[in-house]
């Protein structure tokens, strides 16, 4: 295409408007938008948290297989099904990679209490796969899942799907404002 010397070059805004000529906007989506951005929990000083949070979780688990899911007594199995399908928007994540057991327990407690205090319902805890010699499951993996089942505000948890961490993470459903019967949608 030849340009005439006396015709000025179109400005970017004009080109953009020409490109959009005849475009019809899409109808609004029926998806729920996140009210707040994901708050990725950063590991805080465990020295501070030991003074503020009473640690009530036991490290003594049954020693059997690591549970891939948990459902609090009295909860509907449909709740667990919705959790596995990612029915609710993820509201926060805690990554425990590289932490020793004691530090991880304190961070998990602090994270869960903070999530409940801020009325978060659907969170993710990444503990890693932690394979040990002999093909045994990682210590942190089994302990995190054991701790979650002990924490009274946890209604359910399930192993995350492969695209969200697989067996190295769990999706957790928490009580809303301390009420067990208030399950979203």
């Amino acid at each position: 295409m030849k340009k005439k010397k006396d015709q000025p070059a179109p400005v970017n805004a004009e080109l953009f408007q020409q490109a959009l000529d005849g475009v019809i906007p899409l109808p609004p989506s029926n998806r729920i938008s996140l009210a707040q951005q994901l708050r990725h929990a950063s590991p805080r000083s465990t020295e501070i948290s030991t003074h503020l949070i009473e640690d009530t979780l036991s490290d003594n688990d049954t020693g059997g297989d690591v549970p891939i899911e948990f459902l609090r007594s009295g909860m509907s199995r449909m709740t667990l099904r919705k959790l596995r399908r990612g029915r609710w928007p993820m509201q926060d994540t805690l990554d425990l990679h590289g932490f020793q057991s004691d530090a991880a327990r304190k961070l998990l407690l602090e994270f869960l209490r903070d999530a409940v205090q801020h009325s978060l319902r659907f969170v993710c805890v990444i503990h890693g796969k932690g394979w040990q010699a002999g093909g045994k499951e990682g210590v942190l993996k089994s302990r995190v899942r054991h701790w979650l089942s002990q924490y009274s505000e946890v209604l359910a948890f399930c192993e995350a799907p492969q695209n969200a961490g697989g067996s190295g993470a769990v999706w957790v459903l928490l009580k809303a404002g301390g009420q067990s019967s208030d399950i979203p949608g």
Side-chain angles (χ1 to χ4, degrees), residues 24-37:
I24 301 169
L26 293 173
S29 174
N30 65 349
R31 300 238 181 227
I32 298 172
S33 62
L34 289 175
Q36 61 188 22
Q37 291 293 350

Side-chain angles (χ1 to χ4, degrees), residues 19-86:
L20 289 180
D21 189 35
V23 172
I24 301 169
L26 293 173
S29 174
N30 65 349
R31 300 238 181 227
I32 298 172
S33 62
L34 289 175
Q36 61 188 22
Q37 291 293 350
L38 287 178
R39 305 168 343 149
H40 292 283
S42 59
R44 298 176 203 130
S45 170
T46 55
E47 183 179 325
I48 295 171
S49 64
T50 57
H51 298 295
L52 299 175
I53 298 175
E54 181 183 341
D55 189 350
T56 58
L57 302 180
S58 166
D59 285 342
N60 299 329
D61 57 5
T62 59
D65 292 332
V66 177
I68 60 170
E69 60 188 25
F70 166 79
L71 184 64
R72 179 94 34 220
S73 179
M75 297 298 301
S76 165
R77 296 278 310 160
M78 188 59 74
T79 301
L80 190 57
R81 175 185 255 178
K82 288 178 181 180
L83 181 63
R84 280 192 302 258
R85 292 180 177 176

Side-chain angles (χ1 to χ4, degrees), residues 44-158:
R44 298 176 203 130
S45 170
T46 55
E47 183 179 325
I48 295 171
S49 64
T50 57
H51 298 295
L52 299 175
I53 298 175
E54 181 183 341
D55 189 350
T56 58
L57 302 180
S58 166
D59 285 342
N60 299 329
D61 57 5
T62 59
D65 292 332
V66 177
I68 60 170
E69 60 188 25
F70 166 79
L71 184 64
R72 179 94 34 220
S73 179
M75 297 298 301
S76 165
R77 296 278 310 160
M78 188 59 74
T79 301
L80 190 57
R81 175 185 255 178
K82 288 178 181 180
L83 181 63
R84 280 192 302 258
R85 292 180 177 176
R87 173 77 164 76
W88 305 289
M90 188 64 61
Q91 295 175 300
D92 206 350
T93 303
L94 174 67
D95 190 343
L96 296 173
H97 277 107
F99 285 96
Q100 296 293 327
S101 183
D102 287 339
R105 183 180 61 244
K106 291 171 184 165
L107 284 171
L108 179 64
L109 262 174
E110 185 177 338
F111 173 74
L112 292 173
R113 289 184 178 153
D114 186 53
V116 169
Q117 181 181 4
H118 288 94
S119 299
L120 302 182
R121 299 297 313 280
F122 189 46
V123 297
C124 179
V125 177
I126 303 168
H127 46 65
K129 296 181 181 180
W131 294 106
Q132 297 179 356
K136 296 191 316 186
E137 296 285 338
V139 173
L140 197 55
K141 177 180 178 176
S142 62
R143 287 192 175 168
V144 164
R145 293 172 185 215
H146 179 67
W147 296 329
L148 287 170
S149 65
Q150 293 177 47
Y151 195 72
S152 63
E153 303 296 315
V154 171
L155 297 177
F157 71 76
C158 68

